[in-house]
Amino acid sequence: MSTADFTRDVTSSTRRPFSYMLFAVSVIAYLAIIQGIGLLLQYVSGESDFYTTRGVFIGMIIPLGLALAFVYGVAAHLGRLRPALRDDRPTQR
């Protein structure tokens, strides 16, 4: 490998700006997904505790999975999914 592989520029023209206001909206939406969907699913299903596998799945796994999908969606929309998943400038041994 040449040194050009390690020093290439990782900036891309497809990246969108991420302002403080958009960050605040994203955080509020993320927390609303976790808390709101969790409470809604618990109310609809009738599960009010986490003593059963069904209760844990409905109250925690589904809302956290949706929140994770939201984070990946925001990163992909902003054009930052590749830098989040892969290091474009690996270090040498």
Side-chain angles (χ1 to χ4, degrees), residues 64-78:
L64 290 174
L66 291 174
L68 180 65
F70 174 75
V71 168
Y72 279 126
V74 169
H77 176 72
L78 294 172

Side-chain angles (χ1 to χ4, degrees), residues 12-80:
S12 173
S13 62
T14 61
R15 289 187 180 177
R16 293 185 173 99
F18 195 54
S19 65
Y20 288 117
M21 183 59 72
L22 187 58
F23 175 73
V25 169
S26 298
V27 168
I28 291 170
Y30 174 79
L31 294 174
I33 289 170
I34 291 176
Q35 190 68 28
I37 299 292
L39 291 175
L40 178 70
L41 287 175
Q42 283 181 352
Y43 176 74
V44 169
S45 70
E47 291 287 333
S48 61
D49 55 13
F50 296 114
Y51 296 131
T52 63
T53 304
R54 183 174 187 257
V56 170
F57 188 77
I58 289 174
M60 294 179 69
I61 303 298
I62 293 174
L64 290 174
L66 291 174
L68 180 65
F70 174 75
V71 168
Y72 279 126
V74 169
H77 176 72
L78 294 172
R80 291 176 168 86

